Amino acid sequence: MKVVALVSGGKDSCYNMMQCVANGHEIVALANLKPPSQSGKDELDSFMYQTVGHDAIHLYSECMDLPLYRREIIGESVLQGSDYVVTANDETEDLYVLLKEVLKNHPDIQGVSVGAILSNYQRVRVEHVCNRLGLTSFAYLWRREQKELLFEMANAGVNAILIKIAAIGLKPIHLGKSIGQMYPFLCQMNELYDLHICGEGGEYETFTVDCPLFKKRIVIEETETVIHSDDAFAQVAYLKFKKCSLEEKTQDEMDISQVVIQDWKKCDSYDKITFAVNEHKESSIIQPEIPHIIPSTLQKHLENPYVTDLNRHAPFYAIDGTTAFDNNTTKRFETIEDETLACMLAVREKLHKLDLDWKDVVTVNVFVTDMNDFGQINAIYKKFFNINPAPRALVGANLKGPSRLQIDLVAIKALDHVKRDTMHVQGISYWAPANIGPYSQSVVTQGHAFIAGQIGLVPNKLDLPSPKSFAEEAALSLRNLENIVSVLDLDLRKDTAVCCCYVSDPSYLPLAQVAWKAYIDEDEQIPPTLYIAVPSLPRGAMVEWQVILNAPLPIPIDDDDDTTDEDEETVKKLALLKVKEGPFDIISVPEAYSRALSKNNLTIIVVQSSDTTADLNVTISHIVESISESLSQCRKNWEQILSLRVFYCDKLDVTNQVCTNMLQSEILKQTESIPVITCIPVDALGPNGSSLMACTLHIL
C-alpha cells in the first residue's frame, strides 16, 4: 500500500515509517504541520503536534528523496475531549486540509503513517481524519512496551537526539545526546520517578538526524539552547537549530533489516495454549439424542405470550432478539440490505419507546444465517451509530423462518455525571486487530466492561494465521482479547464475569474448553462460560471469544453542583450492592449444570442442560429449576434478572417464539417476573457438544 508519513522530526514518526516499509508498504510522500510564520514561535502549545525542531524538517525531503507537504497550524485545541467531531478552528482540521492536499497530488495513497504510542488524543483525531478521507492509519508503535521499544529503535539505526527536556532528572546538558546514549539514564529515571522512557508524558522531545530510510543524514553544525523555564526541579529547555547540512550515506547504511516485526507468538500464553490444544486434538464430542416433539404439546405455549416490564432495571435495559419480521411474518425483502434496514428500524423503535438512543447501547449481538452477507449488513448497520458504535459479536446462527438477521442488545442510559469510556481503535498496529466492522473494542460504564467478540486475526495484517490451526487461532484470539482488556486496567483472568466462546464446528468445542482452561490456568477461577458451535464466524474464523467483565463501580465525573439527585441515587445504589463472590458451581438437579459469579455490581449465572435424551418440556423444567436454585444461592431473585439469553440445539426443530413461550410458561410457575428472553438456535452446545440447551443470565 502507498503511504504518506506524518513526520514531526521525532523518533516515533521515523521509526513508524521504518515499520511501514518492513511490513511491505511504500512511503511516497511526507507531511508536516508547523507553527505559523507570523507567530515567531519555535514551539506551540499543541495537544496534537510536536513543533520543536520544525526549523530543520524541510531537510527530510532531500534526506528521503520524497516530496514534503507542509502546512501552518492555524487552529487550536478547541475540542479537548476524548472523542472528536468536525470542529471549526480546531487544529485537527489543519491535518485534514494537509492530507487532502497530499491526496490531490497522490490519489493512489491509501494509508497514513503515524507514530502514536500512548496518546489517545492524537490517535482518535488522526483516525477521524483518515476515515473522512478513506485512508487507513498505520500506527505500529501503538501500546508498545516503552523500554523494549526505545532499545529497538536505537538498535534499528534511529539516530534521534534530544531537542527538548521537561522533566525531573533531565537537564540542558542532555540536549543533543542520542536516544542510544540516553537509554540507560532514561531507564534509571523511569525506576526513580516513573518517567516515560519514550517521553510519552512530555518529558522530552527528539529530532531524528539519521535512520536507514534516509539517503542523506543531517549534520547539526550549530545550535542554540533556549531555557524556557528555569524550574529548580524540572527545567524546560530546547535546542534551536542554527546551521545544518546533509551528508551522503553508503548503501550499507540504509539497511533496515534490524527493524523488528513483532511476533504475536511471543505472548506469554502462546506455548501453554497451543500445547494443551494439540494434546487434545483427538477429543470427541457427544451428539445428543434429539427427542421427538409432539406439535400439540407445543401449541398451548403459543397463546398469550407474556409481556415483560422493560423499565424495572433502569438505567439498565435489555432488548430481546429482534428481526425484520417481528410484527409481520409475511413480509418479503428483496435484498439483505432491505432486511437489515427493517431490522435496525425495529430495534430503534424499541429503544425510543424506552427513551433510549443508539448512544446508550453498550453491547450488541448480531446473528446471521449467511456470513457472506457480512459486508452488506455492515453497510446498513453503521448508519445508525455515531463516532463510537457499541461493541458487538456477529456470528452465524440457524435462524428459523424467513429471518436472515436477528439482533439483541443491552443498553445503559447515559448519566451526565457517570463516566463512560469507549475504546474504538481503527488503526493498524501490533496491539490488537483494528475493527473489521462498525463496532468499538470496548465500553466501560456503571461497573461493567463490555468487550467486542475477538477472533484470531494477526493485528498487523488483519489475516488469520496460515495454515489454519485451531490452536493458533485460540492462542491469538485470547492474546488479542487480553491486550484490549489490559488497556482498561482490568485482568482478563480475574475480572471476567462471563465468557461466550463461539466455534465454527462442533468438533472444536472440547478444544475451546482446553484452550480457555490453559489460559486461565486455575480451574477454580474459570468464570461462567458457554461453549457454542455456530454455522460460521467472520472471516472464516474457527473460534471467537466474547466477554463481559466486572469493572470498578462508577463514580461521578466531578463534584459540580450540576449532578442531579437521580444520578447520585443511581451511583449510591450500585455502590451499596453486596453479594456473594464467585465463581462457583451450583448443584441443583442432576440434569443441569450451573456456574455463577457474583460481584458488587453484577451477577452472572450460566446454566447448561446435561440430559441428552429428555423431552424438551422436561429439559426446560430442569433449566428453570436450576436457575431458581442458582438465584437462591447467589442471594438474588427473578425480579433482578436483566436478561436471559438461551441457546438451543437447532435439531430440536422449534422456533424461537415457541422456545420463548415454553420458557415463560415454566418460569411463571416460579415467579410473575419474566425477564427479557432471547432464544438462538445453534449447531451444538457444551464442551462436549452434548447439551440441548444452555443459557446466560445477567443479573443486577
Side-chain angles (χ1 to χ4, degrees), residues 371-390:
M371 196 57 67
N372 291 322
D373 294 332
F374 184 84
Q376 296 96 308
I377 290 170
N378 281 339
I380 303 301
Y381 179 96
K382 69 180 181 181
K383 294 179 180 179
F384 287 79
F385 289 91
N386 203 336
I387 54 176
N388 288 323

Side-chain angles (χ1 to χ4, degrees), residues 185-246:
F185 183 75
L186 292 171
C187 292
Q188 183 183 4
M189 291 299 99
N190 171 257
E191 294 176 2
L192 290 173
Y193 307 117
D194 201 28
L195 173 144
H196 288 251
I197 293 177
C198 284
E200 285 301 291
E203 295 90 342
Y204 69 91
E205 304 281 4
T206 61
F207 186 84
T208 303
V209 295
D210 192 18
C211 80
L213 296 182
F214 287 9
K215 298 177 180 179
K216 298 178 182 179
R217 66 172 56 88
I218 299 172
V219 179
I220 309 297
E221 297 184 9
E222 184 181 345
T223 63
E224 175 189 347
T225 299
V226 179
I227 305 297
H228 186 72
S229 172
D230 200 15
D231 187 275
F233 293 99
Q235 281 185 307
V236 179
Y238 66 88
L239 285 183
K240 185 179 177 72
F241 298 131
K242 306 292 286 185
K243 184 179 180 182
C244 301
S245 61
L246 297 179

Side-chain angles (χ1 to χ4, degrees), residues 1-2 81 112 130 229 247 255 288 299 361 411-412 521 598 646 659:
M1 186 181 295
K2 291 185 177 181
V112 176
C130 285
S229 172
E247 182 179 277
D255 177 16
Q299 193 62 40
V361 177
I412 303 177
D521 202 32
S598 292
V646 182
C659 188

